[in-house]
Amino acid sequence: MIETTFNPEEIRFRASGIYHLCTHLESITEKQLEMLDTLAAKEKRTEKQGETLTGLIAKRDKPDELPSGAITHLYDIYDSHVYGIREDIGGKHIDKGNLCEQDSLELITPYFGFLVKNVETFENGLIKGTPDALTDEVVIDTKTSWNLRTWRAAEVTALYEWQLQAYMHLTGRKKAILAYCLVDTPMMLIEDEIKRQTYYKGIIDDVSDEYHEIEMQVQRNMIFSDRIPAKNRVKFLTIDRDEKKIDAMKRRSEMAISKLKEIHELELNYKPELR
Amino acid sequence: MNELVNQAKALAPSEGVFSTLQGFEHWQRVAKMISESNIVPSNYQKNVANVMIAIEMANRIGVSPFMVMQNLDIIKGKPSWSSTFIISAINSCGRFEPLRFVFEGQPKTDGYGCRAITKDKNGQECKGPLVNWQMVKAEGWFDKSGSKWKTMPELMFQYRAASFFGRLYAPDIMNGMHSVEETIDVIASKAKPDPEKVSNEKELTRLEKHLATVTDAEDLDLLLQTVSHSETMTEMVQARIDELNTEEQ
């Protein structure tokens, strides 16, 4: 049965997923805009140049629309609310993140003092979110890296940039800090990793030298505090509040609500057809 | 127990229950009959498949199916031998002298523990691995809820030492299975913890560590405001403030 009481107006988009609604904001590239200006400034244009100019103007003035990725995200939200279908996105990385949140907060204590883990969910308009921690000036989100390699490669991804813009919008802060932390992996996950690696290599004898070697290497790869100083395991990336982006996320959220209404109508009136 | 094992061996099936069609049909009938009995353990009552597996196990290690059923427990789906069975099976298999348990290290220290030792029939000494507090704690056996390590450590040391000895020197008897106590410990320590509970506990530890470093009353007043949402944290900060005040006086 389709949940007919579903009301898209009640949906609040999570900050952690807002990025999916906010891709492809600019329909025209900087380079194309430059070309448009150059062509428009010309007194005389060839036929081909005229066509290009018309095309570029049309592109620039095209009304904003949700990209296909956003629509897929909205279907996920819809299926979750109406049918209770949620894909399990769990895994070892997520497990470590969940279990080590406090360890990461501890790692950044020398820089911010004692930070209480924030449990309050903030809501503003159509967006909601629960940042990890807040000070009077900044909103802080910790990301626990899986290993040294992922920690070294960690940068501000578009996904996190939008998430933190949303947090700043929700909490009124002007600055956000993304803190990448490399902390020891919980023993339970280390054991899983040993099991995975020994199974993959076909080693079943848990007292053999090969098993022991893998066990030791996995532990070296996943425990860091005994060799790497705390200061070398934390990376701060600052993001400034961007009002243009916040406006865009508000606009796209409203568009997303309309799209959800449309999806619901389509679902209610759906009839199988030969295509 | 040894005597019982010896008697049980006389009743053991002589061939694999799954090796021939006739054998399978015959033992299936036997299993059906046994499963109707209400004096076999509940895991086997009305469960022909479990009884068939017990008969097969009995066949492999050369004891009576009843012996297997009495001593093979299913812990969260894993078949596991009772430790007393492992000890008696090793003692009666004829390859070793009876197991002895030797305690090593200073009591109440991490190095304190036990190992099972014996001699094989050629008089060679066989020494099982040492099980000590360090291992018990590192493997998380002690901390699990309802851990027998807290209430009967001596016995647990001996059971675990016997089980390790069996896995090393008599794996054919144990058929790769672990002891009941071992399985309970391992399954409990592998259970996925609740992230929220972990987070709450770690936050208190973090605060405790932090408080130990704070000596400025003003900082503590600020902290008191920050943690005002939590009664426990407020109490902790307040306790530190009182401690500092007492020190000053």
Side-chain angles (χ1 to χ4, degrees), chain A residues 99 102-103 106 115 117, chain B residues 190 202-203 206 209 229:
Chain A
L99 293 171
Q102 290 289 341
D103 305 276
E106 183 168 6
L115 287 169
K117 160 89 187 116
Chain B
K190 292 270 187 295
K202 280 187 178 176
E203 188 160 52
R206 200 158 61 80
K209 274 195 220 168
H229 66 287

Side-chain angles (χ1 to χ4, degrees), chain A residues 24 37 155 159 168 184 189 199 207 211:
Chain A
H24 301 89
D37 289 343
E155 280 300 332
L159 183 80
M168 286 186 272
D184 291 344
L189 297 178
Y199 179 80
V207 288
Y211 190 97

Side-chain angles (χ1 to χ4, degrees), chain A residues 209-220:
Chain A
D209 288 347
E210 299 124 289
Y211 190 97
H212 184 65
E213 209 173 289
I214 289 174
E215 206 173 12
M216 290 294 107
Q217 191 56 54
V218 170
Q219 286 189 14
R220 272 195 295 274

Side-chain angles (χ1 to χ4, degrees), chain A residues 181-227:
Chain A
C181 302
L182 184 65
V183 297
D184 291 344
T185 314
M187 202 38 94
M188 184 193 86
L189 297 178
I190 294 181
E191 281 168 9
D192 284 350
E193 195 63 20
I194 293 169
K195 235 190 269 169
R196 195 173 296 126
Q197 292 200 19
T198 49
Y199 179 80
Y200 177 71
K201 289 175 183 161
I203 301 164
I204 52 163
D205 183 359
D206 61 6
V207 288
S208 69
D209 288 347
E210 299 124 289
Y211 190 97
H212 184 65
E213 209 173 289
I214 289 174
E215 206 173 12
M216 290 294 107
Q217 191 56 54
V218 170
Q219 286 189 14
R220 272 195 295 274
N221 293 351
M222 299 173 82
I223 292 175
F224 316 98
S225 62
D226 55 345
R227 285 154 295 148

Side-chain angles (χ1 to χ4, degrees), chain A residues 91 95 98-103 105-107 109 113-119 186-188 191-192 195 206-207 215, chain B residues 138-139 167-168 178 189-195 198-200 202-204 206-210 223 226-227 229 233:
Chain A
D95 283 344
N98 288 338
L99 293 171
C100 298
E101 217 167 29
Q102 290 289 341
D103 305 276
L105 284 173
E106 183 168 6
L107 202 64
T109 302
F114 181 79
L115 287 169
V116 174
K117 160 89 187 116
N118 169 60
V119 286
M187 202 38 94
M188 184 193 86
E191 281 168 9
D192 284 350
K195 235 190 269 169
D206 61 6
V207 288
E215 206 173 12
Chain B
E139 291 288 333
R167 282 166 66 185
L168 266 188
H178 293 196
S189 63
K190 292 270 187 295
K192 210 171 175 181
D194 171 13
V198 171
S199 180
N200 292 342
K202 280 187 178 176
E203 188 160 52
L204 295 181
R206 200 158 61 80
L207 178 62
E208 197 179 350
K209 274 195 220 168
H210 180 69
L223 197 56
T226 319
V227 300
H229 66 287
M233 289 167 102

